[in-house]
Amino acid sequence: MDMSEKRTVAIIGGGAAGLMAAAYAAEIRDPDTDEILLIEQNDRMGKKLRITGKGRCNLTNDCDRDEFLSNVPTNPRFLYASLAGFDTKDTQEYFESLGVPLKVERGKRVFPVSDKAGDVVEALVRRCRELGVKTLQGRVSAIHTEAESGAPRVTALRVGGKDIPVDAAILCTGGCSYPVTGSDGNGYKLAERLGHTVVPPRPSLVPLVCEGNLCSRMMGLSLRNVNLRVLDTAKGKYVYEDFGEMLFTHYGVTGPLVLSASAHIPDVESGKYELHVNLKPALDDAELDARILADFKKYANRDFINALSDLLPIKAIEPVVELSGIDPRVKVNAITKEQRKALAAVLHCIRLKPVRPRPIAEAIVTKGGIKVSEVDPKTMGSKLVDGLYFAGEVLDVDAYTGGFNLQIAFSTARLAAQSAVWG
């Protein structure tokens, strides 16, 4: 066969969406006529995927479609077709078939049994290699198009000063979060030059900067099994609540609980939110008072500030004492019932005021991206440029923590690959 008849489908970006798109495109292509080319600017594939979930890779969530979509605050309806074609069960079966045993943890989060994100990356890389996906290291600086009649069509990619002819391109370049991994916003620029609208990127699943010096005084303190609630003070109602881990830093707070909470308060700069941290969520008021009394009896002759080491981590003692309003040098046997109630109130609700998110470079996910009204949800194809497709975080679709964002990447990638190969 004349090699000039070869049809090339290029995938731009070798992250979660790009690797899945390349693997699936290679599975369904006609090997006699279709060439799959995966272009990645980093020296290895899946750089960001390797660090997700603290290096453990929460690759999906073991839930049904309705529950899944309830965890997608931005443009959930856009995902109907892609999820119908490749849902959370399909993802689990796929990775198991690639030799990655999985397990389900709290919140229906799905992880590799090995707890190694690298196993997920290597399984996809290995699958691409087995199926003959060609790879190229380089940065795509332009997508060339030609317009004979009707909409322009993708014809070539500019990579490292050289034009590579292609018949279709799938943009899997990610967002702006973790730019050192390659998610530097280049995909937005490529799409904008072709006429696409980019909804301004903002950080989501991001640490929060808090008012005052309370957090910096507890800097480095990691808390487990605490309860975090987010109060919308303007409406007088809680917009988020969960149990888990959080960490105090010099600027504010971070950790899984805080990252999840941040997705529920996109307008954090409004100053109308409070974070309520319950240090003792397992104890009700009566049980907590009994616990405090027992400690006070044990340390009856000590000053108040020196009688809390069993109740609190060392870094939290001074701030909690100050918030309680109790003289730190009063003997604990002189503390009144009302003062104990004040202490319990602090332990059940430390109030923090978030004032802004940390920079988008520190966010796990980018909110914003390619405007989905310009993309066909049944194909992931551009409505403006023939032969151009999108998948993953480059789109204006984002979700809460729990494996939802990676599932979006996998589902949209499969649909984009199918459309690009068969289109």
Side-chain angles (χ1 to χ4, degrees):
M1 192 187 85
D2 185 350
M3 289 300 292
S4 65
E5 295 178 29
K6 278 279 188 182
R7 184 173 181 276
T8 300
V9 174
I11 294 96
I12 306 171
L19 284 167
M20 178 63 84
Y24 188 57
E27 285 178 19
I28 64 173
R29 69 171 172 164
D30 181 337
D32 292 327
T33 59
D34 297 330
E35 178 180 85
I36 309 303
L37 175 64
L38 176 56
I39 305 169
E40 168 56 47
Q41 63 183 12
N42 289 317
D43 57 0
R44 64 175 181 166
M45 303 286 178
K47 202 168 180 182
K48 184 177 177 182
L49 186 55
R50 292 175 193 272
I51 62 173
T52 60
K54 293 184 177 179
R56 295 177 62 219
C57 192
N58 179 191
L59 77 171
T60 189
N61 193 282
D62 189 30
C63 65
D64 62 23
R65 189 189 72 174
D66 289 346
E67 185 177 352
F68 187 97
L69 292 173
S70 72
N71 281 277
V72 182
T74 308
N75 299 316
R77 293 178 62 85
F78 178 76
L79 298 172
Y80 279 179
S82 58
L83 280 172
F86 193 75
D87 63 15
T88 61
K89 295 293 184 187
D90 296 324
T91 293
Q92 293 175 68
E93 290 173 8
Y94 182 72
F95 282 100
E96 294 266 4
S97 76
L98 295 185
V100 183
L102 304 177
K103 60 182 176 180
V104 181
E105 297 188 358
R106 185 181 67 86
K108 302 180 183 178
R109 292 168 164 85
V110 179
F111 293 89
V113 169
S114 66
D115 286 329
K116 293 179 180 177
D119 289 354
V120 174
V121 179
E122 293 309 321
L124 288 169
V125 170
R126 187 168 58 248
R127 185 64 173 155
C128 287
R129 192 183 305 123
E130 290 169 353
L131 294 168
V133 172
K134 292 190 174 183
T135 59
L136 174 66
Q137 185 183 351
R139 182 180 177 84
V140 177
S141 57
I143 300 173
H144 297 312
T145 61
E146 289 180 5
E148 294 178 4
S149 61
R153 168 167 280 282
V154 170
T155 57
L157 303 179
R158 185 79 170 169
V159 185
K162 180 181 177 183
D163 287 343
I164 298 173
V166 300
D167 298 277
I170 307 174
L171 205 54
C172 303
T173 48
C176 295
S177 54
Y178 289 131
V180 294
T181 65
S183 298
D184 56 7
N186 185 45
Y188 300 149
K189 296 172 187 173
L190 294 173
E192 279 185 313
R193 291 190 200 119
L194 297 176
H196 273 280
T197 306
V198 175
V199 176
R202 303 199 316 275
S204 186
L205 306 182
V206 65
L208 297 172
V209 178
C210 294
E211 196 175 77
N213 67 354
L214 183 62
C215 294
S216 62
R217 290 171 64 191
M218 293 193 281
M219 181 175 60
L221 175 59
S222 181
L223 299 174
R224 290 187 167 208
N225 302 317
V226 295
N227 172 253
L228 176 66
R229 295 194 291 177
V230 179
L231 177 68
D232 182 334
T233 57
K235 296 180 180 177
K237 70 175 187 177
Y238 288 103
V239 297
Y240 172 83
E241 177 176 7
D242 204 358
F243 294 85
E245 300 175 33
M246 63 180 292
L247 173 71
F248 289 90
T249 71
H250 66 283
Y251 57 78
V253 285
T254 186
L257 272 181
V258 175
L259 299 179
S260 294
S262 72
H264 295 258
I265 46 175
D267 55 338
V268 62
E269 295 93 341
S270 67
K272 66 179 182 178
Y273 297 97
E274 282 185 358
L275 306 181
H276 292 177
V277 184
N278 186 344
L279 300 178
K280 302 293 177 183
L283 304 176
D284 63 23
D285 290 342
E287 291 167 335
L288 181 55
D289 189 50
R291 169 67 197 277
I292 292 169
L293 275 172
D295 282 11
F296 283 4
K297 184 176 181 181
K298 180 178 178 181
Y299 301 117
N301 296 316
R302 289 192 184 182
D303 292 348
F304 175 46
I305 199 165
N306 295 324
L308 299 173
S309 57
D310 291 353
L311 193 64
L312 290 167
I314 291 172
K315 285 192 173 183
I317 290 176
E318 280 194 17
V320 166
V321 167
E322 187 176 301
L323 290 169
S324 75
I326 301 170
D327 182 350
R329 294 301 166 190
V330 68
K331 299 296 181 185
V332 291
N333 57 18
I335 289 178
T336 66
K337 182 178 180 181
E338 288 304 310
Q339 288 175 316
R340 288 201 317 273
K341 282 180 66 176
L343 172 61
V346 173
L347 295 174
H348 273 160
C349 185
I350 290 181
R351 297 169 184 263
L352 304 171
K353 191 169 186 64
V355 291
R356 65 182 181 277
R358 289 289 287 175
I360 198 166
E362 296 179 32
I364 291 178
V365 169
T366 304
K367 186 180 282 287
I370 308 299
K371 194 172 185 180
V372 296
S373 62
E374 298 171 356
V375 180
D376 184 346
K378 294 179 181 177
T379 64
M380 292 297 132
S382 167
K383 294 180 179 179
L384 311 179
V385 179
D386 289 341
L388 178 63
Y389 302 86
F390 303 96
E393 198 180 343
V394 73
L395 291 159
D396 182 26
V397 183
D398 62 272
Y400 302 138
T401 55
F404 303 103
N405 287 291
L406 274 181
Q407 179 64 51
I408 290 170
F410 296 144
S411 295
T412 55
R414 298 275 292 209
L415 182 53
Q418 177 180 298
S419 304
V421 172
W422 290 349

